[in-house]
Amino acid sequence: ETILPDQLSLTLHGNTYTLAQLETTYNDRWEMGEVAFITVQKDGGLSTGEHHIDLLLNLRVSYMPFPQIRKASKNILIA
């Protein structure tokens, strides 16, 4: 099942942002090691069973002259 970008939000230390808002948010910092929560806005929620998640993270670090881009994948089980 594919989830569209406008169905996702990210919560950091109590502040929730849509992906569109994250593109222009410069006054909030996500520190290394700090937990973040990804929320999927979907009627009825995600189905039970295994789900595969792909993540592409583009970090903007003020003292680095180039973007820090990372990819990750994970399988999660919703019971």
Side-chain angles (χ1 to χ4, degrees):
E1 173 179 14
T2 299
I3 302 296
L4 300 174
D6 64 341
Q7 291 176 275
L8 298 172
S9 62
L10 184 75
T11 301
L12 305 164
H13 45 261
N15 299 321
T16 301
Y17 303 98
T18 65
L19 295 187
Q21 289 171 320
L22 282 173
E23 292 180 13
T24 59
T25 299
Y26 300 99
N27 60 347
D28 198 352
R29 294 182 184 266
W30 183 13
E31 301 296 337
M32 289 296 223
E34 186 176 359
V35 174
F37 296 92
I38 298 170
T39 302
V40 177
Q41 303 295 328
K42 182 176 181 277
D43 289 339
L46 293 175
S47 60
T48 58
E50 187 170 276
H51 295 270
H52 180 79
I53 298 173
D54 291 313
L55 173 72
L56 178 65
L57 180 66
N58 183 355
L59 295 175
R60 293 183 301 246
V61 182
S62 60
Y63 53 84
M64 299 296 284
F66 49 85
Q68 301 290 312
I69 299 173
R70 300 288 184 261
K71 293 181 183 179
S73 294
K74 185 172 187 171
N75 289 325
I76 64 164
L77 183 63
I78 296 178

